[in-house]
Amino acid sequence: MTVDRGRRRPAQPTIADVARHAGVAVSTVSYVLSGKRAISAGTRDRVLASIRLLGYHPHAGARALASRRANVIALVLPLRSGIQVPVVMQFATAVVTSARRHDHDVLLLTSDEGPAGLRRIAAGALVDGILVMDVELDDPRVPLLRELDRPSVLIGVPADTAGLTCVDLDFDRAGAVCVQHLAGLGHRRVALLGAPAAVYRRGTGFAHRTRAGVTRAAAGHGVEVVSVPCEEGDADVRRTVVGLLERHPGVTGLVVQNESAVGPALAALAGLGRRVPDDVSVVAICPDQFAVQATPMLTSVPVPAEEIGRQAVSLLMRKLTGEAVPATTLLAPRLTVRHSTADPAGAPR
């Protein structure tokens, strides 16, 4: 058997080939692809059929020049101290998957670049729009986002939302729901095991809003509450839990908003001879995977990363087409009761 090593691969079909096959002008094919002009349904269907049959793929650079679109959005990721990378990746995966459904790719930036990074990608026309995570209450990027000629959506809510588009879980309400659940079971002394101290120092919105919701709900239900930040690492978590219960031995309910602390906190309670839920009830604000993998499985308010990422992309795409969108979208928290919460020992049922 002889192999013709000099045979060339067939050339990729061009827009002219598509036009010839469909029996239309090249400009008509271009209008079908860009949507710049109305084309009759019959002609459009014929052009699309030729594109599929010939396997034509428009050149990305040429398409961008023609449409003045890069078909790329930027996602600013928070890769810094106190941030749980597995949770961040859940958001990133949801954004990338949703963007592809809209025929967009995703350019990843890290939040350490601050406003300079946003200015750089906007000035270079690298992206059509920007998604920003890890939003602080007084975020230094917000003034620039209001000025840029690129639409943006924040995954998080700053203190001043004027001129912005934001989407997030309603963390204030999430904190309140956790306390309401514990109060309804009869708990009267509750503690919040919060995010690392660096997250609070930066003024990160989700941490402060959760703490505010916990405090407000506790006051409304006549519950004593104490809030402590919790660092990462088993030893730090154990030290925090031990210190908390030494200072506040009457605590029977624990709200955990720190994914990395879930397992170590349960281990620390067991090491102290505190049974869950017989002696201490535990409810967490975390992705479901952390709650169901714990022993016992945790009563929790899930952080819906996939839904938030999908809504963020949808809002950005609507802004790109000039559609009006709501200023702030807050997803209602949903409490799932599992095996880690019960009436406090000795409390009347």
Side-chain angles (χ1 to χ4, degrees), residues 63-112:
R63 181 176 60 186
L65 287 172
S67 63
R68 295 186 179 180
R69 288 278 183 86
N71 278 66
V72 177
I73 61 174
L75 173 63
V76 185
L77 291 174
L79 300 180
R80 52 185 180 174
S81 63
I83 297 299
Q84 299 303 311
V85 174
V87 179
V88 170
M89 288 302 104
Q90 288 185 6
F91 281 97
T93 300
V95 167
V96 170
T97 302
S98 299
R100 286 309 309 149
R101 295 194 186 105
H102 293 275
D103 195 29
H104 277 66
D105 294 313
V106 178
L107 173 67
L108 299 180
L109 287 83
T110 54
S111 56
D112 60 325

Side-chain angles (χ1 to χ4, degrees), residues 118-119 121-123 130 143-152:
L118 298 179
R119 191 177 290 107
I121 60 172
I130 303 169
L144 179 61
L145 289 172
R146 291 192 178 106
E147 298 172 2
L148 292 178
D149 62 352
R150 296 286 185 279
S152 61

Side-chain angles (χ1 to χ4, degrees), residues 15 29-36 51 56-72 99-100 102-105 128:
I15 192 171
V29 178
S30 178
Y31 293 143
V32 169
L33 291 171
S34 66
K36 278 190 168 184
I51 288 172
Y56 171 67
H57 298 286
H59 187 274
R63 181 176 60 186
L65 287 172
S67 63
R68 295 186 179 180
R69 288 278 183 86
N71 278 66
V72 177
R100 286 309 309 149
H102 293 275
D103 195 29
H104 277 66
D105 294 313
D128 299 326

Side-chain angles (χ1 to χ4, degrees), residues 179 188-193 211 213-219 222-228 244 248 251 253 255:
V179 172
R188 288 296 172 261
R189 293 179 177 85
V190 171
L192 169 64
L193 196 64
R211 188 167 63 183
V214 165
T215 303
R216 174 174 49 80
V223 173
E224 295 179 20
V225 65
V226 59
S227 175
V228 294
L244 169 66
H248 306 278
V251 165
V255 179

Side-chain angles (χ1 to χ4, degrees), residues 2-239:
T2 303
V3 178
D4 182 2
R5 298 187 183 276
R7 182 179 299 168
R8 293 183 178 178
R9 297 175 61 183
Q12 291 294 323
T14 66
I15 192 171
D17 296 328
V18 173
R20 203 161 34 245
H21 188 274
V24 298
V26 170
S27 59
T28 301
V29 178
S30 178
Y31 293 143
V32 169
L33 291 171
S34 66
K36 278 190 168 184
R37 288 191 183 180
I39 302 295
S40 69
T43 300
R44 181 177 179 276
D45 290 345
R46 193 162 71 249
V47 169
L48 293 176
S50 295
I51 288 172
R52 285 192 296 269
L53 184 64
L54 297 178
Y56 171 67
H57 298 286
H59 187 274
R63 181 176 60 186
L65 287 172
S67 63
R68 295 186 179 180
R69 288 278 183 86
N71 278 66
V72 177
I73 61 174
L75 173 63
V76 185
L77 291 174
L79 300 180
R80 52 185 180 174
S81 63
I83 297 299
Q84 299 303 311
V85 174
V87 179
V88 170
M89 288 302 104
Q90 288 185 6
F91 281 97
T93 300
V95 167
V96 170
T97 302
S98 299
R100 286 309 309 149
R101 295 194 186 105
H102 293 275
D103 195 29
H104 277 66
D105 294 313
V106 178
L107 173 67
L108 299 180
L109 287 83
T110 54
S111 56
D112 60 325
E113 293 191 65
L118 298 179
R119 191 177 290 107
R120 175 173 55 82
I121 60 172
L126 296 174
V127 300
D128 299 326
I130 303 169
L131 298 178
V132 178
M133 292 181 62
D134 193 32
V135 178
E136 299 169 6
L137 294 176
D138 297 309
D139 201 300
R141 299 167 296 185
V142 163
L144 179 61
L145 289 172
R146 291 192 178 106
E147 298 172 2
L148 292 178
D149 62 352
R150 296 286 185 279
S152 61
V153 173
L154 283 71
I155 299 177
V157 184
D160 181 6
T161 60
L164 304 172
T165 304
C166 309
V167 59
D168 206 357
L169 174 67
D170 188 342
F171 280 100
D172 182 288
R173 181 64 183 148
V177 164
C178 293
V179 172
Q180 288 169 3
H181 173 65
L182 293 171
L185 291 171
H187 294 271
R188 288 296 172 261
R189 293 179 177 85
V190 171
L192 169 64
L193 196 64
V199 175
Y200 290 103
R201 285 196 300 269
R202 288 197 297 263
T204 305
F206 76 85
H208 282 273
R209 292 181 189 281
T210 301
R211 188 167 63 183
V214 165
T215 303
R216 174 174 49 80
H221 288 275
V223 173
E224 295 179 20
V225 65
V226 59
S227 175
V228 294
C230 185
E231 303 307 315
E232 301 172 351
D234 293 6
D236 285 328
V237 175
R238 175 175 173 77
R239 192 178 305 113

